[in-house]
Amino acid sequence: MTTEKKAEQRAEKAEGKAAEAAGEQRAAVRTVLVTGATGTLGRPLCALLAAAGHEVRELSRSSRTHPVDLRRGTGLDAALAGADTVVHCATSTRGGDEEAARHLIAAARRAGIRHLVYISIVGIDRVPLGYYRTKLAVERQIEESGLGWTVLRTTQFHELVTRVLAAAAKVPPVMPLPAGVPDQPVAVREVAARLAALAAGEPAGRVPDMGGPEVLSFTDLARAYLAATGRRRILLPVPLAGRAYRAFRAGGHLAPDLATPGPTFADHLAALTAR
């Protein structure tokens, strides 16, 4: 084989590798729909996906470009057309999640969605709470959907714990707290980053749970909240009844072995008070 022929083959091989790399890069850029895009998790998730170069469709009832009502199933076919991945963040403690999931899954099948990613909660199979049972039912719908899927369970967001404590501290001088209940709050930004990475990858099924960096009692969380907000309250741990309360006391909603480095609850409070 002549030197000229070898050079020609090397050039062709290099061109082939370059084309393959370019194809992989194009394939990595996806059209991702995010339900609940205007929520606590949806906003930072959409920002991270867009920053990574993905085309992001922000689904909500008030969206100018993709108005969707999940509970009624309206607008889904148009929103899903040509999309590759769905990240399902929309949820409501007032009910309707199972119905919304049915509509979303049916539309995703019609559209040929490759990957459905769902954000869930640690302990929904251990804590017999109504909202948790609903989240577990949605997980099962997704697992049985026939779609490629990924489910991530996390502990409670800093924002939720803050709202619970703010409500408990609303009426002085006493601040009632569930006695003996620990929690492991996690930063929304950390969860959004994990979800964005999962959405950019292949369907992975149930991935490892994600917990906040530290487990604290509600009493300690309350003390930190009161110190940060400059309030004074008498802490009143209140024993509650029921299986759900016992499961929370036992730590059924925690993932201490899967703690994720990141902002602590104290960091979250410091950022709030610095605004």
Side-chain angles (χ1 to χ4, degrees):
M1 184 180 292
T2 64
T3 302
E4 183 178 342
K5 184 65 174 177
K6 289 180 179 179
E8 183 179 336
Q9 288 182 344
R10 285 196 297 269
E12 289 176 353
K13 189 175 182 180
E15 288 177 2
K17 287 184 176 180
E20 184 180 350
E24 289 177 355
Q25 185 175 11
R26 285 194 298 272
V29 176
R30 295 172 177 163
T31 300
V32 184
L33 280 76
V34 178
T35 72
T38 58
T40 301
L41 175 60
R43 289 182 186 277
L45 173 60
C46 289
L48 288 173
L49 289 168
H54 301 292
E55 177 191 342
V56 182
R57 297 182 185 175
E58 301 182 7
L59 270 63
S60 71
R61 282 179 292 181
S62 59
S63 172
R64 294 181 180 179
T65 54
H66 300 100
V68 169
D69 188 322
L70 285 173
R71 293 184 68 173
R72 295 182 178 180
T74 57
L76 278 168
D77 288 334
L80 289 164
D84 176 79
T85 301
V86 174
V87 185
H88 186 28
C89 299
T91 186
S92 173
T93 56
R94 296 187 297 274
D97 278 16
E98 291 182 64
E99 184 179 12
R102 281 194 294 272
H103 289 143
L104 180 63
I105 289 168
R109 286 177 181 151
R110 293 193 296 269
I113 293 298
R114 188 189 65 84
H115 191 186
L116 174 57
V117 183
Y118 182 56
I119 181 68
S120 192
I121 305 172
V122 169
I124 58 173
D125 52 351
R126 298 190 295 263
V127 179
L129 194 67
Y131 178 59
Y132 280 22
R133 285 192 289 267
T134 296
K135 296 289 284 188
L136 186 59
V138 172
E139 281 192 15
R140 288 172 178 159
Q141 285 188 54
I142 291 169
E143 292 168 7
E144 298 167 0
S145 67
L147 301 167
W149 59 273
T150 300
V151 169
L152 170 66
R153 293 181 181 178
T154 75
T155 53
Q156 287 72 33
F157 299 159
H158 290 314
E159 287 79 357
L160 174 60
V161 175
T162 302
R163 288 197 298 270
V164 170
L165 293 172
K170 193 170 183 179
V171 181
V174 173
M175 185 175 181
L177 302 168
V181 175
D183 209 358
Q184 189 181 359
V186 65
V188 160
R189 179 83 179 181
E190 299 297 319
V191 176
R194 179 76 64 86
L195 274 183
L198 291 171
E202 296 301 312
R206 169 86 183 279
V207 298
D209 293 350
M210 181 178 183
E214 56 186 2
V215 176
L216 297 170
S217 70
F218 253 92
T219 299
D220 288 337
L221 292 166
R223 289 194 181 107
Y225 172 80
L226 293 173
T229 57
R231 300 182 182 185
R232 291 186 178 183
R233 298 289 187 273
I234 299 171
L235 301 184
L236 180 63
V238 179
L240 302 175
R243 291 188 300 130
Y245 170 64
R246 289 196 296 271
F248 278 126
R249 284 197 62 170
H253 59 306
L254 306 179
D257 296 333
L258 295 166
T260 301
T264 64
F265 188 64
D267 295 330
H268 168 71
L269 292 173
L272 281 181
T273 54
R275 291 176 185 173

